[in-house]
Amino acid sequence: MKSILVTIDFNEKEAPLLEQAFKMASAFKSKLWIMHIAAPEPDFVGYDVGPEEIRDARAEELRKEHRLLQKYAKDMNDRGIDTDGLLVSGATIETILQQAEKLKADLIITGHERHGFFYRAILGSTAEQLLEDSKIPLLIVPLDLDKA
């Protein structure tokens, strides 16, 4: 296993994903990619805020996400794991699968949280959609262990 892709959300539940990624990368001496998919550009039709303020706020949000990704990658590198952070934009499932293929990932690590019926009916689950569409092995880490 030469390459592992771990997806994170910046929802303050990254720790179990990153720890699992560390264990797998350590065990197999793999290259680790930590990826966050940035929210797509919002559609502000009908809002009073001008485009410049929107662009500035969006740019600051992306800089903050990039800095955090780089911190996570540095922490892994400091622990002896060859790691890079990726900040990409796009549709979640398609982007994960495209990046995994591009990086020649042997494993995708992603998280899963329990959600109610209406949430699942409207938004679905990233982990469930990846299970349906991925040809690359998946490691799904439960993120809501305190609710079990």
Side-chain angles (χ1 to χ4, degrees):
M1 190 173 312
K2 295 180 182 180
S3 182
I4 297 173
L5 175 65
V6 60
T7 64
I8 61 172
D9 256 350
F10 297 134
N11 59 3
E12 299 181 3
K13 295 184 179 183
E14 297 89 37
L17 285 167
L18 293 172
E19 191 55 34
Q20 209 47 251
F22 173 77
K23 289 177 184 176
M24 297 300 287
S26 292
F28 293 101
K29 298 185 181 3
S30 304
K31 166 78 177 180
L32 182 61
W33 301 91
I34 303 172
M35 182 174 71
H36 172 68
I37 300 173
E41 293 297 320
D43 182 6
F44 285 100
V45 174
Y47 285 82
D48 292 335
V49 181
E52 186 174 342
E53 290 84 5
I54 294 167
R55 283 193 306 272
D56 290 347
R58 180 72 177 140
E60 181 54 36
E61 179 183 355
L62 290 172
R63 280 192 293 275
K64 180 181 171 188
E65 290 175 348
H66 185 262
R67 282 190 301 268
L68 192 51
L69 257 178
Q70 295 309 308
K71 178 196 176 307
Y72 289 150
K74 181 185 180 315
D75 292 347
M76 288 292 187
N77 280 300
D78 290 347
R79 294 173 75 183
I81 303 299
D82 181 17
T83 305
D84 283 312
L86 297 171
L87 180 63
V88 294
S89 182
T92 303
I93 302 304
E94 292 83 5
T95 302
I96 292 170
L97 295 175
Q98 287 169 356
Q99 289 297 316
E101 188 174 318
K102 178 180 172 184
L103 300 168
K104 295 181 173 57
D106 299 299
L107 178 69
I108 300 170
I109 301 175
T110 193
H112 177 69
E113 293 182 76
R114 289 189 191 124
H115 294 288
F117 171 77
F118 291 108
Y119 182 95
R120 286 191 319 271
I122 295 170
L123 296 177
S125 160
T126 299
E128 289 171 4
Q129 290 175 14
L130 281 173
L131 280 170
E132 293 284 327
D133 297 341
S134 181
K135 294 178 177 86
I136 298 169
L138 298 168
L139 174 61
I140 299 175
V141 179
L143 299 178
D144 51 3
L145 293 174
D146 58 332
K147 295 179 184 178

